[in-house]
C-alpha cells in the first residue's frame, strides 16, 4: 500500500512501547510524525539520538511521534540498551515492533522488491484529520533530517490554517508568500501592514 499526500491514514491495533494502542485513538486529533526504523542500524541509531533531542519541540508543535519497525521486541530492547550506553539516548517517543510486517505494510513502509523483509527509510506527517500531509523517503544508507521534518511540520501547520505558502528555506517567524489564487484586493485587506509584490505570482507578507 502506498500512502501519498492526501491519503487517509489506515488504522491498526498494536502493542507499543507504552502499552496497547489503536492508532486513530492514539493520534487524538493531533498532528503526528510516523516513521520507519531498523534496530541495530547505524543510520537509525544516529536518527534516534537526534530525534530524542527534538521530541519536546515536536510536542510543542502539538505533534505525537511514533516509530515502526519489523524487528522483534528483544532485538529492539537490546538496541535501545546500546543507544543508552553508546549515545546517551533513551527514546521517550512511542515505538511499535511488528515482525509480521502487517503494520509497516499497512503504512507503506515495506520494500516489496527486497529479497528479505526490509523497510523503506520513510517518514510521514499526519494532519489532525488523519490524512497524510507529507511523505519523505531516504535511501537506507542515509539518515533523515528530523530537524528538516520539524521545519516542514511547522510549515504545513501554518499553511493548513492560513492562505499562505512558505519558501524552501522558511523558518518560523520569517515572511511568507501568498498563493496566486488570492486576489490582490483581498491580500491588501488581509495584510494591511503591507504586501510586497515582486511579481503577480510572487507576493510576500509578514507571517500571520
Amino acid at each position: 500500500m502506498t500512502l501519498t499526500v492526501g491519503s487517509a491514514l489506515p488504522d491498526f491495533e498494536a502493542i507499543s512501547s507504552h502499552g496497547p494502542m489503536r492508532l486513530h485513538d492514539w493520534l487524538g486529533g493531533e498532528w503526528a510524525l510516523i516513521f520507519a526504523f531498523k534496530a541495530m542500524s547505524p543510520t537509525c541509531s544516529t536518527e534516534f539520538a537526534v530525534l530524542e533531542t527534538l521530541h519536546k519541540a515536536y510536542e510543542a508543535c502539538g505533534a505525537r511521534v511514533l516509530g515502526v519497525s519489523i524487528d522483534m521486541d528483544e532485538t529492539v530492547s537490546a538496541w535501545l540498551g546500546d543507544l543508552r550506553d553508546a549515545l546517551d539516548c533513551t527514546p521517550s517517543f512511542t515505538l511499535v515492533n511488528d515482525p509480521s510486517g502487517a503494520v509497516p505494510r499497512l503504512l507503506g513502509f515495506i520494500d516489496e522488491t527486497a529479497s528479505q523483509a526490509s523497510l523503506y527509510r520513510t517518514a510521514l506527517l499526519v494532519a489532525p484529520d488523519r490524512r497524510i500531509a507529507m511523505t519523505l523517503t531516504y535511501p537506507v544508507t542515509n539518515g533523515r533530517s528530523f530537524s528538516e521534518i520539524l521545519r516542514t511540520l511547522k510549515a504545513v501547520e501554518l499553511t493548513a490554517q492560513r492562505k499562505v505558502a512558505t519558501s524552501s528555506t522558511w523558518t518560523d517567524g520569517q515572511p511568507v508568500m501568498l498563493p496566486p489564487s488570492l486576489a490582490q484586493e483581498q491580500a491588501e485587506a488581509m495584510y494591511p501592514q503591507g504586501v510586497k509584490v515582486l511579481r503577480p505570482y510572487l507576493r510576500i507578507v509578514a507571517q500571520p
Side-chain angles (χ1 to χ4, degrees), residues 74-89:
E74 296 80 1
T75 302
V76 174
S77 179
W79 178 56
L80 293 179
D82 288 345
L83 295 185
R84 182 182 61 250
D85 296 340
L87 300 176
D88 193 25
C89 170

Side-chain angles (χ1 to χ4, degrees), residues 70-192:
I70 54 173
D71 296 304
M72 300 288 292
D73 288 339
E74 296 80 1
T75 302
V76 174
S77 179
W79 178 56
L80 293 179
D82 288 345
L83 295 185
R84 182 182 61 250
D85 296 340
L87 300 176
D88 193 25
C89 170
T90 302
S92 55
F93 43 87
T94 304
L95 304 177
V96 167
N97 309 315
D98 180 14
S100 76
V103 169
R105 182 169 284 107
L106 194 65
L107 297 172
F109 291 170
I110 294 283
D111 181 358
E112 302 289 0
T113 66
S115 57
Q116 294 183 327
S118 177
L119 296 183
Y120 291 116
R121 195 173 297 282
T122 296
L124 307 172
L125 286 180
V126 182
D129 63 0
R130 299 173 185 164
R131 292 193 174 274
I132 306 302
M134 183 217 73
T135 67
L136 177 74
T137 300
Y138 274 34
V140 295
T141 51
N142 302 100
R144 292 158 290 193
S145 171
F146 286 98
S147 297
E148 168 60 16
I149 296 173
L150 178 61
R151 185 195 75 87
T152 304
L153 170 65
K154 293 178 180 180
V156 296
E157 286 184 333
L158 175 63
T159 55
Q161 298 170 354
R162 304 281 188 162
K163 290 185 177 181
V164 296
T166 59
S167 70
S168 61
T169 57
W170 175 87
T171 57
D172 192 21
Q174 290 187 335
V176 295
M177 301 173 292
L178 299 178
S181 59
L182 184 65
Q184 182 63 20
E185 185 175 301
Q186 288 179 287
E188 292 172 355
M190 292 173 64
Y191 299 95

